[in-house]
Amino acid sequence: MKCACGSGKNFEQCCKPFLAGEVHPETADKLMRSRYTAYTLGDIDYLEKTLAPESRHDFDPKATEQWSKSSEWKGLNILSTQNGATADQDGIVEFVATFVQQGQTLQHHEVSTFRKDDRGHWMFVDGKIPGRQTIIREEPKVGRNDPCPCGSGKKFKKCCG
């Protein structure tokens, strides 16, 4: 059986040894691929074990398992890697994972950061969605039915909104 990670190798020679804990991925790319395979198999324990300690505080095993099992995983496409080789201490992997959920084909595009722990094992640190930026408001958000901040006494929607 071909491995879900898209390497073209058989599962037995590709991600299975990583998921079974027999060996650790030698590169950030291989950890990314094995984590994708873990999603396809619903192996939530592996996903949690390969998280950097500082990234475990907001890991929700139940929600992750639900997403994993409610999705039909179609493929992983590694777009780019930066560092992450055996001699590196950190690395970045950009990927697109395609899946079907509730009959709709979706894509998860992410730029993931990895680093080695003190034992030399690759760990997932965090992932960011390209193009998304956090908006920081300098003033409080004004609702449609709030008084207009210009001081007219009208509702925001009837004045400056």
Side-chain angles (χ1 to χ4, degrees), residues 63-132:
T64 302
E65 183 174 29
Q66 187 213 6
W67 183 47
S68 168
K69 291 185 176 179
S70 69
S71 300
E72 181 186 345
W73 299 93
K74 295 297 190 177
L76 175 68
N77 184 17
I78 303 291
L79 302 177
S80 67
T81 58
Q82 182 180 342
N83 300 330
T86 54
D88 294 322
Q89 292 301 307
D90 54 36
I92 297 172
V93 178
E94 182 176 2
F95 70 92
V96 174
T98 304
F99 60 100
V100 176
Q101 205 169 46
Q102 298 177 348
Q104 186 176 12
T105 301
L106 303 166
Q107 291 188 325
H108 177 77
H109 184 184
E110 183 175 300
V111 178
S112 296
T113 305
F114 298 88
R115 71 168 167 75
K116 285 185 179 175
D117 65 11
D118 56 0
R119 299 168 298 164
H121 300 156
W122 284 103
M123 306 295 288
F124 172 79
V125 178
D126 72 0
K128 301 207 182 312
I129 308 298
R132 279 199 186 168

Side-chain angles (χ1 to χ4, degrees), residues 1 19 25 55 72 116 127 129 157:
M1 162 174 105
L19 285 116
S55 303
E72 181 186 345
K116 285 185 179 175
I129 308 298
K157 68 182 177 186

